[in-house]
Each structure stands twice: as C-alpha cells, then as structure tokens.
Amino acid sequence: MAVLETTARDQRAAGEATRRRKNARRTTNPYSPAHRGDAKLAWVLIAPALVGFAVFAAYPTLRGIYLSFTDFAVLSPPEWIGLDNYRQLLHDEVFWSSLGVTVYFVLLSVTLSLIVSVVTAAVLHRLTSSTVVRGLIILPFLISAVVAGTVWWWMLDSQLGIVNIVIKAFGGDGIQFLTSRDWAIPSVALINVWKQMGYTSIIIFAGLQTIPPTIYEAGRVDGASELRMFRTLTLPLLRPILALVVVLNVIGAFQVFDIISVTTKGGPANASNVLQMYIYSKAFGQFDFGYAAAMSLALFVILIAITFLQMRLLRASESDTN
C-alpha cells in the first residue's frame, strides 16, 4: 500500500513538473499570444537610436567614403576622379610629415599617460579610498579641451606665463614651450597627459579593485616586496585593462585637434602640424573636401590596423588569472 502511495505521489510530482515546464515554455516563447506585441514595442523603443545612428554616423561615413573618390569644392557638385586623391596622398610630403608628427605625439602622449595613470591608480588603491580625491583627479578630464588648451597656453607663454616666471625665479632661462620646434610637441603632449590622466587612472583603479587580495597575501608570505608584487602580480593581472587604456589613448591621441588648434595652430613651421590639423586646413582652409575625405579615410584605416595589432600583441582578452 505504501509503495502504491509513493508511486502515485511521484507521478503527480512528475505531472506537475511537466505542466510547469510547458507553462514556462509558453511564457518565454516570443511567438506566443502573450508576447505578440513585444516586437513592435521593441522597434518603437530602439527607433530613435537607429535614426540617430543612421543620420549622424552611417550616412556621414558612407558620404565621406564617396567624397574621397571625388573632386569636391563645396560650391560645385562632386566630380568622380577615382583613385586620384589617393595617388596624390602617396606623393604628398606634407601628409607624410604630418603623419610623422602625429606618431611622435602619440608615442609621447600614450607612454607618459600610461606611466602616470598606473602610478596614480596604484597610489589611490593602496593609500586612500576617498571619493573626494578621485573626483579631484578626474576633474581635468571633465574640462573642455579648448578651455584646458587656452589655460595652458597662458601658463606656458614665453614672456608672461607662470611656468617661465617660476623657471626664471630659480635662475633658469625662459623656455619657448609652444613656439619652439623642439618643445612644441612635448609641451602639447604633456597638456594632453594632464587632461586624460584622471580618466585613465580611474579605469585602472577599477581594474585594481578586481584583483583578489589573497594574491597579495600569498606574495607577502613568499617574501615578495611591494615593487616585485607590482611588477609580477599587478601588471600581468591588469593586462586586459591596460590594453583597453592603450587602445583608447592611441585612438584619442591620433585624433588630437582642439588642443593643437588652441596652443600652437600647427606651428612653428609645421612642427606640430598633426594629421587632423592638415585635414582641417585642406577641408576648411582650401575647400578641398575630396582630398580631405581621402586623408580621413586613410587615418581611419590606420587606426583600425593599429587597434587590431594592439589587441593581438597585448592579448587583450586574457590575463594571467585565466
């Protein structure tokens, strides 16, 4: 009798479980009557974003690609010239000079920014948890690049700038920070590092918080110093975050324009004439929009290639915890 009751109870339980599975399948089925209007609602909700993407991203990109194969000077309709703009680009000495200046700026800016950001994030992680300090560090990133460039332009002025006043007060000679061929790009790179450092420091700081404290405890048990743990534990575990920071900084540095435009305007003698400045001068100074579009597309291809190479070399999706 007990066996029969147990069997009946098991059958009822199995039947109840089957009904629950059917009800769950019916509830989650997107084609069920209960979800028949969800697809329309979803399209209504994402329509503004799709329209914005199509109008402000997709169409300008496709239009720019088309214009790169044309001779377009605004007042006349575009005239198809095929690859002539790209042939001109290959033999344009100013383009290659601007590309070299841009690479020099990128190397300085990204290297200094990465070093300063890692050190700052490590200090924040070990010494303080104050949100006020973090807010002060990220404050320069929130300032407009034009405002930051203008302030630093005043501060680095060769005659009245506070930096040169301090240098002369200590017996040094004034430095032509923004009007010297040797100092123009390093000075602008330092301004860019000052502006971007807070943002990248906070990203690295967030990555440091994901590292389990037990790893450092094990390192201390083994007698490792703080410097050795930082070099052998922290940096390898931060590889995905550092890869992200490097990629973002490289892309941002290649696209620098506003700080250069405010501080040096590409001078002196094209010493700081980065690629974005040259593209701007061709498009809005000489109204050669077709050639400017070709250079923009070339820069886009360069950035894609560099980003792909960085992701492969840095193994961005891996860390030593995998």
PDB file of all heavy atoms in Angstrom, residues 22-43:
ATOM      1  N   LYS A  22       5.850  23.294 -19.404  1.00  0.00           N
ATOM      2  CA  LYS A  22       5.025  23.759 -20.523  1.00  0.00           C
ATOM      3  C   LYS A  22       4.622  25.204 -20.329  1.00  0.00           C
ATOM      4  O   LYS A  22       4.654  26.008 -21.275  1.00  0.00           O
ATOM      5  CB  LYS A  22       3.791  22.865 -20.676  1.00  0.00           C
ATOM      6  CG  LYS A  22       4.102  21.465 -21.194  1.00  0.00           C
ATOM      7  CD  LYS A  22       2.826  20.664 -21.344  1.00  0.00           C
ATOM      8  CE  LYS A  22       3.118  19.267 -21.896  1.00  0.00           C
ATOM      9  NZ  LYS A  22       1.878  18.458 -22.027  1.00  0.00           N
ATOM     10  N   ASN A  23       4.222  25.551 -19.103  1.00  0.00           N
ATOM     11  CA  ASN A  23       3.825  26.936 -18.837  1.00  0.00           C
ATOM     12  C   ASN A  23       5.000  27.897 -19.017  1.00  0.00           C
ATOM     13  O   ASN A  23       4.851  28.984 -19.559  1.00  0.00           O
ATOM     14  CB  ASN A  23       3.262  27.055 -17.416  1.00  0.00           C
ATOM     15  CG  ASN A  23       1.924  26.356 -17.275  1.00  0.00           C
ATOM     16  OD1 ASN A  23       1.193  26.189 -18.251  1.00  0.00           O
ATOM     17  ND2 ASN A  23       1.593  25.926 -16.049  1.00  0.00           N
ATOM     18  N   ALA A  24       6.189  27.460 -18.538  1.00  0.00           N
ATOM     19  CA  ALA A  24       7.374  28.312 -18.695  1.00  0.00           C
ATOM     20  C   ALA A  24       7.726  28.485 -20.164  1.00  0.00           C
ATOM     21  O   ALA A  24       8.087  29.583 -20.610  1.00  0.00           O
ATOM     22  CB  ALA A  24       8.548  27.700 -17.933  1.00  0.00           C
ATOM     23  N   ARG A  25       7.623  27.388 -20.946  1.00  0.00           N
ATOM     24  CA  ARG A  25       7.933  27.468 -22.367  1.00  0.00           C
ATOM     25  C   ARG A  25       6.934  28.372 -23.070  1.00  0.00           C
ATOM     26  O   ARG A  25       7.282  29.150 -23.961  1.00  0.00           O
ATOM     27  CB  ARG A  25       7.903  26.058 -22.969  1.00  0.00           C
ATOM     28  CG  ARG A  25       8.531  25.976 -24.357  1.00  0.00           C
ATOM     29  CD  ARG A  25       8.494  24.556 -24.880  1.00  0.00           C
ATOM     30  NE  ARG A  25       9.221  23.638 -24.028  1.00  0.00           N
ATOM     31  CZ  ARG A  25       8.641  22.642 -23.369  1.00  0.00           C
ATOM     32  NH1 ARG A  25       7.343  22.446 -23.481  1.00  0.00           N
ATOM     33  NH2 ARG A  25       9.363  21.855 -22.609  1.00  0.00           N
ATOM     34  N   ARG A  26       5.679  28.311 -22.660  1.00  0.00           N
ATOM     35  CA  ARG A  26       4.661  29.144 -23.269  1.00  0.00           C
ATOM     36  C   ARG A  26       4.874  30.620 -22.909  1.00  0.00           C
ATOM     37  O   ARG A  26       4.659  31.514 -23.710  1.00  0.00           O
ATOM     38  CB  ARG A  26       3.265  28.681 -22.804  1.00  0.00           C
ATOM     39  CG  ARG A  26       2.121  29.342 -23.556  1.00  0.00           C
ATOM     40  CD  ARG A  26       0.771  28.846 -23.051  1.00  0.00           C
ATOM     41  NE  ARG A  26       0.667  27.407 -23.175  1.00  0.00           N
ATOM     42  CZ  ARG A  26       0.602  26.581 -22.136  1.00  0.00           C
ATOM     43  NH1 ARG A  26       0.638  27.062 -20.901  1.00  0.00           N
ATOM     44  NH2 ARG A  26       0.515  25.277 -22.317  1.00  0.00           N
ATOM     45  N   THR A  27       5.357  30.846 -21.661  1.00  0.00           N
ATOM     46  CA  THR A  27       5.576  32.218 -21.213  1.00  0.00           C
ATOM     47  C   THR A  27       6.759  32.863 -21.915  1.00  0.00           C
ATOM     48  O   THR A  27       6.736  34.035 -22.279  1.00  0.00           O
ATOM     49  CB  THR A  27       5.793  32.237 -19.693  1.00  0.00           C
ATOM     50  OG1 THR A  27       4.661  31.648 -19.060  1.00  0.00           O
ATOM     51  CG2 THR A  27       5.982  33.668 -19.190  1.00  0.00           C
ATOM     52  N   THR A  28       7.852  32.091 -22.105  1.00  0.00           N
ATOM     53  CA  THR A  28       9.066  32.645 -22.706  1.00  0.00           C
ATOM     54  C   THR A  28       9.064  32.569 -24.220  1.00  0.00           C
ATOM     55  O   THR A  28       9.982  33.086 -24.854  1.00  0.00           O
ATOM     56  CB  THR A  28      10.299  31.882 -22.185  1.00  0.00           C
ATOM     57  OG1 THR A  28      10.156  30.479 -22.483  1.00  0.00           O
ATOM     58  CG2 THR A  28      10.452  32.062 -20.677  1.00  0.00           C
ATOM     59  N   ASN A  29       8.097  31.961 -24.815  1.00  0.00           N
ATOM     60  CA  ASN A  29       8.039  31.863 -26.271  1.00  0.00           C
ATOM     61  C   ASN A  29       7.689  33.221 -26.865  1.00  0.00           C
ATOM     62  O   ASN A  29       6.607  33.764 -26.615  1.00  0.00           O
ATOM     63  CB  ASN A  29       6.996  30.816 -26.669  1.00  0.00           C
ATOM     64  CG  ASN A  29       6.950  30.617 -28.192  1.00  0.00           C
ATOM     65  OD1 ASN A  29       7.800  31.138 -28.915  1.00  0.00           O
ATOM     66  ND2 ASN A  29       5.961  29.862 -28.644  1.00  0.00           N
ATOM     67  N   PRO A  30       8.574  33.818 -27.663  1.00  0.00           N
ATOM     68  CA  PRO A  30       8.281  35.155 -28.206  1.00  0.00           C
ATOM     69  C   PRO A  30       7.124  35.163 -29.187  1.00  0.00           C
ATOM     70  O   PRO A  30       6.589  36.222 -29.505  1.00  0.00           O
ATOM     71  CB  PRO A  30       9.596  35.545 -28.885  1.00  0.00           C
ATOM     72  CG  PRO A  30      10.270  34.245 -29.206  1.00  0.00           C
ATOM     73  CD  PRO A  30       9.881  33.311 -28.114  1.00  0.00           C
ATOM     74  N   TYR A  31       6.748  33.989 -29.701  1.00  0.00           N
ATOM     75  CA  TYR A  31       5.662  33.920 -30.681  1.00  0.00           C
ATOM     76  C   TYR A  31       4.315  33.593 -30.037  1.00  0.00           C
ATOM     77  O   TYR A  31       3.321  33.430 -30.732  1.00  0.00           O
ATOM     78  CB  TYR A  31       5.982  32.863 -31.741  1.00  0.00           C
ATOM     79  CG  TYR A  31       7.250  33.172 -32.500  1.00  0.00           C
ATOM     80  CD1 TYR A  31       8.423  32.503 -32.213  1.00  0.00           C
ATOM     81  CD2 TYR A  31       7.282  34.160 -33.486  1.00  0.00           C
ATOM     82  CE1 TYR A  31       9.596  32.782 -32.894  1.00  0.00           C
ATOM     83  CE2 TYR A  31       8.447  34.453 -34.174  1.00  0.00           C
ATOM     84  CZ  TYR A  31       9.599  33.759 -33.876  1.00  0.00           C
ATOM     85  OH  TYR A  31      10.765  34.047 -34.549  1.00  0.00           O
ATOM     86  N   SER A  32       4.299  33.467 -28.711  1.00  0.00           N
ATOM     87  CA  SER A  32       3.049  33.175 -28.031  1.00  0.00           C
ATOM     88  C   SER A  32       2.146  34.405 -28.043  1.00  0.00           C
ATOM     89  O   SER A  32       2.622  35.538 -28.195  1.00  0.00           O
ATOM     90  CB  SER A  32       3.313  32.740 -26.590  1.00  0.00           C
ATOM     91  OG  SER A  32       3.863  33.814 -25.855  1.00  0.00           O
ATOM     92  N   PRO A  33       0.845  34.234 -27.885  1.00  0.00           N
ATOM     93  CA  PRO A  33      -0.067  35.387 -27.902  1.00  0.00           C
ATOM     94  C   PRO A  33       0.292  36.451 -26.859  1.00  0.00           C
ATOM     95  O   PRO A  33       0.071  37.646 -27.083  1.00  0.00           O
ATOM     96  CB  PRO A  33      -1.431  34.761 -27.619  1.00  0.00           C
ATOM     97  CG  PRO A  33      -1.290  33.337 -28.090  1.00  0.00           C
ATOM     98  CD  PRO A  33       0.132  32.955 -27.805  1.00  0.00           C
ATOM     99  N   ALA A  34       0.844  36.012 -25.714  1.00  0.00           N
ATOM    100  CA  ALA A  34       1.165  36.975 -24.653  1.00  0.00           C
ATOM    101  C   ALA A  34       2.274  37.934 -25.065  1.00  0.00           C
ATOM    102  O   ALA A  34       2.389  39.037 -24.526  1.00  0.00           O
ATOM    103  CB  ALA A  34       1.568  36.228 -23.381  1.00  0.00           C
ATOM    104  N   HIS A  35       3.130  37.520 -26.021  1.00  0.00           N
ATOM    105  CA  HIS A  35       4.263  38.346 -26.440  1.00  0.00           C
ATOM    106  C   HIS A  35       4.099  38.846 -27.872  1.00  0.00           C
ATOM    107  O   HIS A  35       5.075  39.276 -28.477  1.00  0.00           O
ATOM    108  CB  HIS A  35       5.571  37.546 -26.327  1.00  0.00           C
ATOM    109  CG  HIS A  35       5.921  37.170 -24.919  1.00  0.00           C
ATOM    110  ND1 HIS A  35       6.627  37.996 -24.074  1.00  0.00           N
ATOM    111  CD2 HIS A  35       5.639  36.053 -24.202  1.00  0.00           C
ATOM    112  CE1 HIS A  35       6.782  37.404 -22.908  1.00  0.00           C
ATOM    113  NE2 HIS A  35       6.190  36.229 -22.958  1.00  0.00           N
ATOM    114  N   ARG A  36       2.907  38.791 -28.408  1.00  0.00           N
ATOM    115  CA  ARG A  36       2.706  39.118 -29.813  1.00  0.00           C
ATOM    116  C   ARG A  36       3.043  40.584 -30.116  1.00  0.00           C
ATOM    117  O   ARG A  36       3.530  40.910 -31.184  1.00  0.00           O
ATOM    118  CB  ARG A  36       1.264  38.807 -30.209  1.00  0.00           C
ATOM    119  CG  ARG A  36       0.986  38.880 -31.693  1.00  0.00           C
ATOM    120  CD  ARG A  36      -0.307  38.168 -32.012  1.00  0.00           C
ATOM    121  NE  ARG A  36      -0.178  36.721 -31.787  1.00  0.00           N
ATOM    122  CZ  ARG A  36      -1.221  35.893 -31.714  1.00  0.00           C
ATOM    123  NH1 ARG A  36      -2.444  36.359 -31.836  1.00  0.00           N
ATOM    124  NH2 ARG A  36      -1.031  34.601 -31.515  1.00  0.00           N
ATOM    125  N   GLY A  37       2.868  41.495 -29.169  1.00  0.00           N
ATOM    126  CA  GLY A  37       3.143  42.903 -29.414  1.00  0.00           C
ATOM    127  C   GLY A  37       4.519  43.371 -28.973  1.00  0.00           C
ATOM    128  O   GLY A  37       4.849  44.554 -29.120  1.00  0.00           O
ATOM    129  N   ASP A  38       5.344  42.452 -28.435  1.00  0.00           N
ATOM    130  CA  ASP A  38       6.646  42.871 -27.909  1.00  0.00           C
ATOM    131  C   ASP A  38       7.592  43.332 -29.002  1.00  0.00           C
ATOM    132  O   ASP A  38       8.372  44.270 -28.805  1.00  0.00           O
ATOM    133  CB  ASP A  38       7.290  41.721 -27.123  1.00  0.00           C
ATOM    134  CG  ASP A  38       6.573  41.488 -25.801  1.00  0.00           C
ATOM    135  OD1 ASP A  38       5.610  42.228 -25.519  1.00  0.00           O
ATOM    136  OD2 ASP A  38       6.978  40.568 -25.057  1.00  0.00           O
ATOM    137  N   ALA A  39       7.563  42.683 -30.154  1.00  0.00           N
ATOM    138  CA  ALA A  39       8.479  43.046 -31.235  1.00  0.00           C
ATOM    139  C   ALA A  39       8.209  44.471 -31.714  1.00  0.00           C
ATOM    140  O   ALA A  39       9.141  45.268 -31.907  1.00  0.00           O
ATOM    141  CB  ALA A  39       8.340  42.065 -32.394  1.00  0.00           C
ATOM    142  N   LYS A  40       6.938  44.824 -31.868  1.00  0.00           N
ATOM    143  CA  LYS A  40       6.595  46.182 -32.288  1.00  0.00           C
ATOM    144  C   LYS A  40       7.048  47.207 -31.249  1.00  0.00           C
ATOM    145  O   LYS A  40       7.594  48.263 -31.590  1.00  0.00           O
ATOM    146  CB  LYS A  40       5.085  46.302 -32.519  1.00  0.00           C
ATOM    147  CG  LYS A  40       4.571  45.447 -33.675  1.00  0.00           C
ATOM    148  CD  LYS A  40       3.067  45.618 -33.840  1.00  0.00           C
ATOM    149  CE  LYS A  40       2.554  44.753 -35.004  1.00  0.00           C
ATOM    150  NZ  LYS A  40       1.089  44.884 -35.155  1.00  0.00           N
ATOM    151  N   LEU A  41       6.838  46.874 -29.967  1.00  0.00           N
ATOM    152  CA  LEU A  41       7.257  47.781 -28.908  1.00  0.00           C
ATOM    153  C   LEU A  41       8.774  47.945 -28.909  1.00  0.00           C
ATOM    154  O   LEU A  41       9.292  49.062 -28.719  1.00  0.00           O
ATOM    155  CB  LEU A  41       6.783  47.252 -27.557  1.00  0.00           C
ATOM    156  CG  LEU A  41       7.194  48.077 -26.330  1.00  0.00           C
ATOM    157  CD1 LEU A  41       6.622  49.487 -26.424  1.00  0.00           C
ATOM    158  CD2 LEU A  41       6.735  47.386 -25.047  1.00  0.00           C
ATOM    159  N   ALA A  42       9.497  46.848 -29.134  1.00  0.00           N
ATOM    160  CA  ALA A  42      10.962  46.907 -29.160  1.00  0.00           C
ATOM    161  C   ALA A  42      11.448  47.820 -30.288  1.00  0.00           C
ATOM    162  O   ALA A  42      12.348  48.646 -30.095  1.00  0.00           O
ATOM    163  CB  ALA A  42      11.541  45.509 -29.318  1.00  0.00           C
ATOM    164  N   TRP A  43      10.850  47.692 -31.479  1.00  0.00           N
ATOM    165  CA  TRP A  43      11.243  48.548 -32.607  1.00  0.00           C
ATOM    166  C   TRP A  43      10.929  50.016 -32.330  1.00  0.00           C
ATOM    167  O   TRP A  43      11.698  50.901 -32.711  1.00  0.00           O
ATOM    168  CB  TRP A  43      10.546  48.097 -33.878  1.00  0.00           C
ATOM    169  CG  TRP A  43      11.180  46.900 -34.521  1.00  0.00           C
ATOM    170  CD1 TRP A  43      10.678  45.637 -34.591  1.00  0.00           C
ATOM    171  CD2 TRP A  43      12.451  46.863 -35.175  1.00  0.00           C
ATOM    172  NE1 TRP A  43      11.549  44.799 -35.239  1.00  0.00           N
ATOM    173  CE2 TRP A  43      12.651  45.532 -35.617  1.00  0.00           C
ATOM    174  CE3 TRP A  43      13.432  47.813 -35.423  1.00  0.00           C
ATOM    175  CZ2 TRP A  43      13.796  45.132 -36.289  1.00  0.00           C
ATOM    176  CZ3 TRP A  43      14.586  47.416 -36.096  1.00  0.00           C
ATOM    177  CH2 TRP A  43      14.756  46.103 -36.530  1.00  0.00           C
TER     178      TRP A  43
END
